[in-house]
Amino acid sequence: FAITADEVFTSSFAPFVLLGPALGAPCVLPDVDVRRPADLDVDRLAEACARGPVGVAWLSPASARRIVATAADRTVPLRLVMLAGAPIDPELARAVARVTGGEVRSPYGMTEAMPLTDGVEPDADVPAGGTATGWPLPGVTVVVTPLDDPHGPARPAGDWGELVIHAPWMRDGYDRRWATDAAATVERDGATFHRTGDVGYLADDGRLVQLGRAQHVLRTADGPLASVAVEQPVAAALDRSVAAVGVGPAGAQVVVVVVAGTGRLRLAEPGLTAAVRDASAVPVAAVLEGELPVDVRHQSKVDRSALAAAATDLLAGR
């Protein structure tokens, strides 16, 4: 990613600001509450970039959306923008590229191993859905295993399952969560792999495509459904954020789609319900509307487990 001392680094996520000095590069923190990355607008980003020759920005999706929404045809020139913290919508990546004029990358990784892919954005949306994260970096091995069976045979290109990874820098310096590491360790072909807790697939050209978290897979009577694959066509049709959750016992869950809104969770109006069902590729039992719970760090990862519990309580007996 060519981050050097020749240019300044900035980020909407405070711990990432430490990445600059760790790599020998100066960095600036935008004038924004580090607990609220979604408050970083184009003016605050421009002000931070005015403090020095900022060439690289590492942004959470919430920050990127806010910058794009407030740009109003203004630009903030950057050489490289890294988007991380949650799956990145391809249209959001293209919009960030228009605002910054720079290369936009969304590498895949997690605390135990980062980065794992080069984050190169595809020229077009991934045909089978999901979030394309680029090609695995040299030394990285990605295996797509059957759901709930990390020791099972690798799935062929295009078939989704659980992602397990191996990299030379995996867990480097990450040595205080022994029980967690042990539970996430898989031995395959004489090598140690890490269970990512994510689902996805390898495209025919070798790109890694992410489809959300394994714990958020909908376990329906017709088989498992990846949350992201259910959500994407609906979100595109409505131009709104949505989350798909399963309600009911595993193996007999029904699909519930929650459309982002304000206020408490509630049944959606008939028109919105019809629009969601028309856009969905799978049957939708109920459509709800309300605030989507997100993580504190990036304000981008939807807590679908909490949302599923709230939807279950709301729909009980209906």
Side-chain angles (χ1 to χ4, degrees):
F1 301 114
I3 300 173
T4 70
D6 296 331
E7 59 188 356
V8 179
F9 175 89
T10 189
S11 177
S12 61
F13 182 39
F16 282 176
V17 174
L18 302 178
L19 180 63
L23 297 174
C27 60
V28 295
L29 180 64
D31 184 16
V32 63
D33 188 335
V34 295
R35 298 166 299 178
R36 299 183 58 85
D39 288 347
L40 179 60
D41 56 20
V42 72
D43 292 315
R44 289 185 173 97
L45 177 63
E47 189 276 332
C49 292
R51 296 186 218 164
V54 175
V56 181
W58 193 310
L59 306 173
S60 73
S63 299
R65 284 192 290 269
R66 178 68 172 161
I67 290 166
V68 168
T70 57
D73 296 325
R74 289 173 291 174
T75 60
V76 182
L78 292 167
R79 177 182 64 82
L80 173 66
V81 180
M82 313 279 278
L83 299 179
I88 306 300
D89 178 78
E91 180 51 41
L92 175 61
R94 289 191 283 266
V96 171
R98 290 193 291 269
V99 172
T100 63
E103 181 181 11
V104 178
R105 294 197 184 194
S106 52
Y108 174 71
M110 62 287 305
T111 306
E112 295 88 344
M114 182 68 176
L116 292 168
T117 66
D118 60 16
V120 173
E121 288 292 322
D123 295 330
D125 294 345
V126 181
T131 303
T133 68
W135 283 265
L137 293 168
V140 174
T141 302
V142 178
V143 180
V144 181
T145 68
L147 203 58
D148 303 323
D149 183 13
H151 297 280
R155 307 203 63 148
D159 286 1
W160 71 278
E162 183 177 347
L163 303 176
V164 299
I165 60 93
H166 170 81
W169 54 91
M170 185 178 76
R171 299 176 186 166
D172 184 14
Y174 188 81
D175 57 0
R176 297 186 180 182
R177 297 282 184 175
W178 302 304
T180 302
D181 286 351
T185 296
V186 178
E187 298 294 332
R188 295 182 61 98
D189 302 322
T192 299
F193 282 77
H194 173 69
R195 293 185 70 175
T196 66
D198 292 328
V199 294
Y201 62 93
L202 291 168
D204 291 337
D205 60 4
R207 282 179 295 167
L208 176 61
V209 182
Q210 205 248 17
L211 281 169
R213 297 288 290 167
Q215 70 195 69
H216 298 154
V217 168
L218 288 69
R219 312 281 182 149
T220 75
D222 294 325
L225 298 172
S227 57
V228 171
V230 177
E231 295 160 1
Q232 280 184 324
V234 178
L238 271 58
D239 194 24
R240 293 173 66 177
S241 297
V242 305
V245 298
V247 170
Q253 289 183 335
V254 294
V255 177
V256 174
V257 173
V258 183
V259 181
T262 57
R264 296 171 62 88
L265 204 62
R266 59 196 180 277
L267 289 173
E269 295 296 327
L272 180 57
T273 298
V276 168
R277 287 177 169 151
D278 287 344
S280 176
V282 298
V284 176
V287 179
L288 308 180
E289 188 175 13
E291 187 173 350
L292 301 181
V294 295
D295 65 300
V296 174
R297 291 189 302 169
H298 301 292
Q299 294 185 298
S300 301
K301 297 176 182 177
V302 177
D303 187 345
R304 292 173 179 81
S305 297
L307 199 58
T312 298
D313 290 341
L314 178 65
L315 296 171
R318 290 183 181 269

